[in-house]
Amino acid sequence: LGCPEGILPAWGAAQAAAALAFWVARKLGSKGGPLSGLVDFVMKKEGAEDPEGSAALEGALDKVDAESSFMGSSVKIFLLRLSPVVPYAVSNYLCGLGGVPFGPFVAGTA
């Protein structure tokens, strides 16, 4: 399509992929979900290998919760997107598992 015509479809596909990964993590990996045992295993294993990093990541995701304002949560997600440390796809799953509200997630991803 070229640059001008391809920007909107590429952006829309990236948004859709992020939303899909978020909901897959939210539905399958949440407490009582089909993959909750696997999520618990990985969290324990990673926490044992790097306790400081694991605790810091969990603490950061806990700050972006339903009690935060919409704008504040959106900005935090946007800043997570700018981080060179956490890959884009991993952050989608982490936000889904971490209890981040869907609205601020979409706004911060856009």
Side-chain angles (χ1 to χ4, degrees):
L1 289 175
C3 185
E5 297 86 12
I7 289 174
L8 188 60
W11 175 79
Q15 281 290 103
L20 179 64
F22 178 91
W23 279 111
V24 164
R26 174 72 47 99
K27 297 299 179 191
L28 298 180
S30 62
K31 300 290 182 209
L35 298 179
S36 62
L38 176 64
V39 170
D40 291 337
F41 171 76
V42 170
M43 292 299 281
K44 287 178 187 175
K45 182 175 186 264
E46 291 300 318
E49 290 179 8
D50 184 16
E52 292 177 11
S54 180
L57 182 59
E58 287 180 23
L61 287 176
D62 288 341
K63 289 181 183 176
V64 184
D65 58 5
E67 296 175 7
S68 298
S69 69
F70 183 88
M71 188 60 150
S73 296
S74 299
V75 168
K76 289 174 186 174
I77 298 299
F78 176 72
L79 293 175
L80 176 66
R81 295 292 186 204
L82 294 178
S83 171
V85 177
V86 181
Y88 192 83
V90 172
S91 66
N92 295 334
Y93 293 114
L94 289 176
C95 288
L97 292 173
V100 175
F102 185 67
F105 172 77
V106 170
T109 300

